[in-house]
Amino acid sequence: MTLTRILVTCIALSVPAALLSQGAEIAFGGLSQDTGLPVEVGADKLEIDQADGAATFTGNVEISQGEMVLTAGRARVIYGADGAITEMQASEGVTLVNGGEAAEAAEAVYSIEAGTVVMTGDVILTQGSNALSSQRLVIDLARGTGTLEGRVRTIFQPGAQ
């Protein structure tokens, strides 16, 4: 567990019940993304499954597309019939960063065609000095919005941007 995750969890547990909910949609403009941009993947190891053509990257995985960067311990890249990437499944400590916004989770699935990233498992989202946590975050990259689901806890800093 990272220091950031520990601090946010401790602070989130002290938030008044009035700020807690089962789901919340938030502006996610810093993570809006053109899904047509090239995707670059780097890792320590690559295995290709000849049966389905999927590629599994392990060890210090870094996936970038434009300004968006996703890091994880493992990522499986799924290709369509035309050879284009259709989906990326990341696990083992996922962090997604773009501009001043960042999200951490246990796992993430990036659907290129749908333009969505679904992060699950102890999600922590930071936007500047504000922090939110939940069990699931769905990011719509085209609209620049995110929906937190599960037990949502928020920390808003008065006067913060």
Side-chain angles (χ1 to χ4, degrees):
M1 186 176 266
T2 66
L3 179 58
T4 302
R5 186 177 296 270
I6 292 168
L7 290 172
V8 170
T9 301
C10 290
I11 294 169
L13 292 174
S14 66
V15 174
L19 292 179
L20 304 177
S21 67
Q22 291 299 314
E25 183 169 316
I26 55 171
F28 217 69
L31 285 180
S32 61
Q33 179 65 35
D34 176 357
T35 59
L37 293 173
V39 175
E40 182 178 337
V41 182
D44 294 337
K45 183 178 178 183
L46 167 62
E47 294 178 29
I48 298 175
D49 183 339
Q50 294 296 334
D52 64 6
T56 301
F57 295 86
T58 55
N60 301 306
V61 178
E62 183 174 296
I63 300 169
S64 60
Q65 184 179 42
E67 296 296 315
M68 185 172 69
V69 178
L70 184 145
T71 58
R74 176 183 175 88
R76 182 169 167 85
V77 178
I78 311 298
Y79 296 90
D82 62 357
I85 296 173
T86 60
E87 183 176 279
M88 290 182 280
Q89 305 163 346
S91 60
E92 299 178 16
V94 178
T95 301
L96 180 67
V97 177
N98 195 355
E101 296 178 323
E104 293 180 23
E107 299 178 340
V109 175
Y110 177 15
S111 299
I112 306 286
E113 189 174 302
T116 60
V117 177
V118 178
M119 301 182 78
T120 56
D122 297 324
V123 176
I124 295 177
L125 168 65
T126 56
Q127 295 180 300
S129 61
N130 297 322
L132 300 103
S133 66
S134 70
Q135 288 304 306
R136 186 170 192 259
L137 169 61
V138 179
I139 303 167
D140 182 327
L141 296 170
R143 290 181 39 220
T145 60
T147 302
L148 291 155
E149 301 171 350
R151 185 72 172 164
V152 179
R153 297 179 181 269
T154 61
I155 302 168
F156 295 110
Q157 300 297 331
Q161 299 268 339

